[in-house]
Amino acid sequence: MADRVTIVDVAARAGVAISSASSALNNRPGVSEATRLRVRAAADDLRYVPSLRGKSLSSKRAFAVGLVLNRDPDVLESDPFFGGFLGGIVSVLDSHGYALVLQMGEGPEATLDRYRRLAADRRVDGVFLSELVVDDPRIALLDALHLPAVAINADTPFPFPAVRQDHRPAVFELVDYLLGEGHQTIAHVTGPRQYIHARQREDAWRDALTSADVVVGPTVEGDFTFEGGRRAARELLGRVDSPTAVFCGNDLTAIGFMSEAREMGVRIPEDVSVSGYDGIEMGSYFQPMLTTLRTSPHHIGAESARMLVDVVRGAAMEDSTIEPAELIIRGSTSRARTSL
């Protein structure tokens, strides 16, 4: 295997001092334009790729940003949403020469400690704030650490720049569609209510029903998992006045709900219509295919990464809103039953 080309090799090829080669490659003053062009030509000839460590030392930046997740690894592994989200982040970071430091917290205190260590070790230049919770303690901590951040789907107002995808129009459209199909009892399986995005989805569902002058249906608090969906199905479909339609807080929950409903002998959509949220590809593999509100995890990740790189570089950032979620009607929803 050939030795890695270093800046020493580039300087030797261009016939300049190492400090001059570094200034030329990093667009710093102190070298003539002719020298800058000669150094760059030498770097191209040698196929020189600057090391992240060298860039960090010369610029006093880490050229890395952090994402700390307070999630059970098994739950994270089963949720395809994060694959698209991380893919969007990395696609942008790569183009800017940044790396992603991904860490898992094991509870709230351990998660906060992860941020403290990232800042103390200067391992990252900024962080993503995802899965925000009510009275999120990370906000005050990051402010005290002077660590730049970009938030995902934060409420307004928010002290850090945020990227948002509006879900309310699609939730209202879903509820309107279900009401048009004759459903009058539409239940909701929430995510954990400490999460801001779970509350946002539940609030939109309630508001949609209220604005249509329809009684708000029953709710079951879930946990955004397949098993949580199964538990919710046993609870809701075991009622004497079981709902004719159910809106689940995410697609994994909806798929779990449909799986348990089938085992209970409840037909979908003839006996109960089921819809989800996220638009993960798995929902199109299940039979019947899942009606869902399709989001853009890759786009959310890419936009948040673009914003965070700009914030780290000192830019004053405004909040960003990408295209809203979209209702996708499939076979898991239909006309309401007359009785179960």
Side-chain angles (χ1 to χ4, degrees):
M1 182 178 177
D3 291 337
R4 184 178 184 279
V5 176
T6 69
I7 196 168
V8 175
D9 302 314
V10 174
R13 171 68 69 93
V16 299
I18 296 173
S19 59
S20 297
S22 178
S23 295
L25 292 173
N26 289 286
N27 291 318
R28 292 196 298 268
V31 295
S32 68
E33 186 60 24
T35 297
R36 196 182 307 277
L37 293 173
R38 191 162 73 252
V39 169
R40 288 179 177 174
D44 290 341
D45 290 343
L46 295 171
R47 296 183 180 179
Y48 168 69
V49 178
S51 72
L52 186 59
R53 186 169 185 271
K55 288 175 65 179
S56 299
L57 290 172
S58 64
S59 65
K60 297 183 179 179
R61 287 185 185 173
F63 287 94
V65 291
L67 175 62
V68 182
L69 297 174
N70 181 16
R71 276 247 182 167
D72 183 319
D74 292 336
V75 174
L76 182 64
E77 182 180 352
S78 68
D79 191 344
F81 175 90
F82 281 96
F85 178 62
L86 293 175
I89 288 175
V90 172
S91 69
V92 171
L93 294 184
D94 279 349
S95 66
H96 290 282
Y98 274 72
L100 176 65
V101 177
L102 177 63
Q103 295 195 347
M104 303 293 294
E106 298 176 357
E109 284 304 317
T111 298
L112 293 177
D113 189 56
R114 293 282 187 182
Y115 287 103
R116 295 187 188 100
R117 288 163 55 187
L118 287 173
D121 297 340
R122 297 184 178 179
R123 293 185 60 191
V124 298
D125 299 318
V127 294
F128 299 100
L129 269 178
S130 66
E131 299 194 307
L132 291 156
V133 299
V134 178
D135 299 323
D136 201 308
R138 295 176 295 174
I139 298 171
L141 175 63
L142 295 180
D143 186 56
L145 294 174
H146 303 292
L147 195 58
V150 166
I152 315 300
N153 283 328
D155 273 341
T156 56
F158 196 76
F160 295 104
V163 57
R164 298 180 179 87
Q165 183 172 41
D166 192 357
H167 57 277
R168 288 182 66 86
V171 173
F172 271 66
E173 187 178 356
L174 170 65
V175 169
D176 183 66
Y177 156 70
L178 292 173
L179 293 176
E181 292 294 314
H183 297 277
Q184 289 297 305
T185 306
I186 303 172
H188 180 47
V189 183
T190 76
R193 287 192 172 103
Q194 72 267 27
Y195 287 121
I196 295 296
H197 60 290
R199 291 194 176 201
Q200 290 172 339
R201 294 169 200 179
E202 182 177 359
D203 288 345
W205 165 79
R206 288 183 181 278
D207 292 346
L209 289 171
T210 301
S211 67
D213 200 25
V214 174
V215 175
V216 174
T219 62
V220 173
E221 184 169 1
D223 57 7
F224 286 143
T225 68
F226 179 88
E227 286 302 322
R230 293 183 62 136
R231 290 192 298 270
R234 290 193 293 270
E235 180 172 343
L236 288 170
L237 299 180
R239 297 166 57 115
V240 175
D241 57 342
S242 62
T244 63
V246 179
F247 167 44
C248 295
N250 73 345
D251 286 350
L252 272 183
T253 299
I255 292 170
F257 190 102
M258 290 196 293
S259 177
E260 185 65 19
R262 181 173 293 170
E263 290 192 18
M264 294 172 66
V266 177
R267 300 170 302 166
I268 299 169
E270 293 87 354
D271 297 327
V272 61
S273 288
V274 181
S275 54
Y277 184 101
D278 277 338
I280 61 175
E281 194 170 355
M282 187 188 306
S284 64
Y285 299 157
F286 205 83
Q287 291 298 321
M289 291 192 292
L290 178 64
T291 291
T292 186
L293 306 187
R294 184 163 59 197
T295 62
S296 306
H298 188 279
H299 193 174
I300 293 171
E303 181 65 7
S304 61
R306 180 196 66 79
M307 291 174 64
L308 186 54
V309 169
D310 285 346
V311 169
V312 165
R313 291 172 173 173
M317 292 300 300
E318 298 289 335
D319 291 352
S320 177
T321 300
I322 67 172
E323 71 277 359
E326 177 187 9
L327 173 61
I328 306 296
I329 298 174
R330 297 186 178 126
S332 66
T333 53
S334 70
R335 292 290 301 176
R337 68 172 193 268
T338 56
S339 64
L340 184 59

